[in-house]
Amino acid sequence: PFAAYTVVVTADDLEIPLEAQSLSTFGRNFLTDDWEAVRLVAHELAHQWFGDDVSPEKWADVWLNEGHATWYEGTFADAKGFESFEARMRQAYALGDQWRHDFGPVASPPADNLFNNNVYDGGALVLFALRERIGTAAFNRLERAWVTKYGGSTAGTPDFIALASKVSGHDQTAFLTDWLFGTKTPPMPG
């Protein structure tokens, strides 16, 4: 979404990469074709739209950044034959209740552990469930509408729920509230 995108590679190994608007920083240890390194390149690039162009209104909305980046990381992995996104979401679904117990609801992470499995894979699982409910075409329209409407600004979970309802043509409030704020993982639509 920005005029340029730069990748900085440090001479030192880094534990994790870091992104900022129009820039991602990786340690030299990420210069490999190993899936664990490649997935993080895709993840950090996705943050240019989800997190940097559309920033979270408050910290509890971080699932919008990490869930989307995990979503695009996962769909890239599937398209390139690294790992099945469907299988990853089935695994996340199986762990959903445990994550909600350990970390709280997806859109209500604990302040001392904002960046947890439920925010990343649990957030992607919410998007997966929503796509299953509204269909791929409507979901793709929602994704484009999200970055178009809120690009260059902040937005929060209520904004996402409202836009999902508008784009899908059906009120998604109860559905997404259960998925985002419930203490138990809801049934998967289908």
Side-chain angles (χ1 to χ4, degrees):
F2 305 105
Y5 177 64
T6 302
V7 173
V8 174
V9 178
T10 66
D12 298 321
D13 289 351
L14 296 178
E15 184 178 340
I16 57 171
L18 179 66
E19 49 69 34
Q21 285 187 346
S22 74
L23 173 76
S24 292
T25 303
F26 298 90
R28 67 180 177 182
N29 51 311
F30 290 100
L31 295 180
T32 173
D33 60 1
D34 177 68
W35 168 238
E36 285 304 309
V38 173
R39 77 174 184 83
L40 291 170
V41 173
H43 185 98
E44 299 310 323
L45 180 60
H47 274 311
Q48 294 305 300
W49 289 267
F50 302 96
D52 294 333
D53 191 33
V54 181
S55 296
E57 193 167 71
K58 57 187 181 189
W59 280 111
D61 300 320
V62 74
W63 79 271
L64 287 162
N65 301 6
E66 300 305 344
H68 275 100
T70 302
W71 171 273
Y72 287 103
E73 163 198 326
T75 56
F76 171 79
D78 199 0
K80 294 298 182 182
F82 285 108
E83 98 182 327
S84 164
F85 186 58
E86 182 102 18
R88 183 174 177 174
M89 291 298 95
R90 278 196 306 272
Q91 181 181 21
Y93 188 80
L95 294 168
D97 284 345
Q98 184 64 50
W99 288 342
R100 287 166 190 260
H101 174 267
D102 293 348
F103 308 117
V106 173
S108 196
D112 63 345
N113 193 0
L114 284 173
F115 298 96
N116 62 64
N117 290 342
N118 206 28
V119 166
Y120 287 79
D121 281 82
L125 183 62
V126 170
L127 298 173
F128 184 84
L130 180 61
R131 187 192 68 179
E132 292 298 298
R133 180 176 169 90
I134 68 175
T136 300
F139 182 80
N140 290 342
R141 286 193 308 275
L142 170 61
E143 293 294 275
R144 286 186 202 94
W146 179 251
V147 296
T148 299
K149 181 171 183 168
Y150 294 107
S153 65
T154 62
T157 300
D159 299 314
F160 186 80
I161 293 170
L163 191 59
S165 297
K166 180 179 177 183
V167 170
S168 70
H170 301 285
D171 187 357
Q172 302 298 333
T173 305
F175 177 80
L176 285 170
T177 297
D178 286 348
W179 275 93
L180 291 166
F181 297 101
T183 57
K184 295 287 184 188
T185 307
M188 183 60 69

